[in-house]
Amino acid sequence: MASDLTAALADPPRQPRYTALEDVQGLLISTVQCALGIHLLRAAGLVTGGTAGLALIVAYATGWGFGPTFFVVNLPFYAFAWARKGAAFALKSFASVTLVSVIADALPGVLSIAHVHPGVAAAGFGVVAGVGLLGLFRHSSSLGGVSIVAVIVQDRFGIRAGWVQSGWDLCLFLVSFAILPADRVVWSLLGAVILNLVIALNHRRDWYVVT
């Protein structure tokens, strides 16, 4: 996932707040969308960036389940989230990652995809997961991971967060060539581009003022 994800984690101005019920329904809907996007990726044997991409690569290489892997690889990042964005953001991110882990592993048992063209899966992932991530950002949550660290690196060392995030994602896609067919990696890149376009074109704080 590219630089627009890190931009979405920038400190927001003081704004009206969601109620607890609005937060719960918003986070639940958003995590279902993200999990559905992951389900499409796995059905076509594709990957993505961020910790979700790392979890997919590990799952493909080892046969481990995506859900437990995604949950575990995100554990070290909650301390960074707490330090950078506060307790509420860290706890919401923990809840979001947990829900995506559970839902993504449950979906194959209730929503079987016998065949999907990798291009369709990539585009579907980009749109569905992109909208899901927008929802998480708007409810002061995330799917954890590298974007938080990238913001911290930017603050402390002056290296732009987008470059840090992009460097991580580039490494993931390069590693993907070792375990996936080249065409699947190329289709995966399409999915990542669409996801970031969805976020870049729609994550505007001047258009959306409730958090």
Side-chain angles (χ1 to χ4, degrees), residues 164-208:
V164 177
Q165 179 77 48
S166 297
W168 168 271
D169 290 349
L170 176 61
C171 290
L172 285 182
F173 283 112
L174 289 175
V175 170
S176 298
F177 280 106
I179 62 172
L180 296 176
D183 70 304
R184 291 300 192 268
V185 180
V186 174
W187 286 120
S188 298
L189 285 168
L190 173 65
V193 169
I194 292 174
L195 181 147
N196 280 282
L197 282 174
V198 169
I199 294 172
L201 295 174
N202 293 280
H203 190 77
R204 289 276 304 273
R205 294 194 181 278
D206 55 329
W207 291 351
Y208 199 86

Side-chain angles (χ1 to χ4, degrees), residues 11 19 27 39 43-44 59 61 91-92 100 120 125-126 148 153 176 181:
D11 290 324
T19 65
L27 293 174
H39 186 49
L91 292 173
K92 286 182 180 180
V100 169
V120 174
F125 162 77
I148 298 168
V153 170
S176 298

Side-chain angles (χ1 to χ4, degrees), residues 31-40 42 56 65-68 70 96-111:
T31 53
V32 169
Q33 290 176 299
C34 291
L36 181 58
I38 295 295
H39 186 49
L40 286 170
R42 289 192 295 176
L56 283 169
F66 167 81
F70 184 53
S96 298
V97 169
T98 302
L99 283 171
V100 169
S101 300
V102 172
I103 296 169
D105 270 8
L107 279 175
V110 296
L111 182 61

Side-chain angles (χ1 to χ4, degrees), residues 16-50:
R17 297 289 176 180
Y18 288 111
T19 65
L21 179 60
E22 289 168 340
D23 254 347
V24 169
Q25 64 84 30
L27 293 174
L28 180 58
I29 291 171
S30 300
T31 53
V32 169
Q33 290 176 299
C34 291
L36 181 58
I38 295 295
H39 186 49
L40 286 170
L41 285 184
R42 289 192 295 176
L46 306 179
V47 296
T48 187

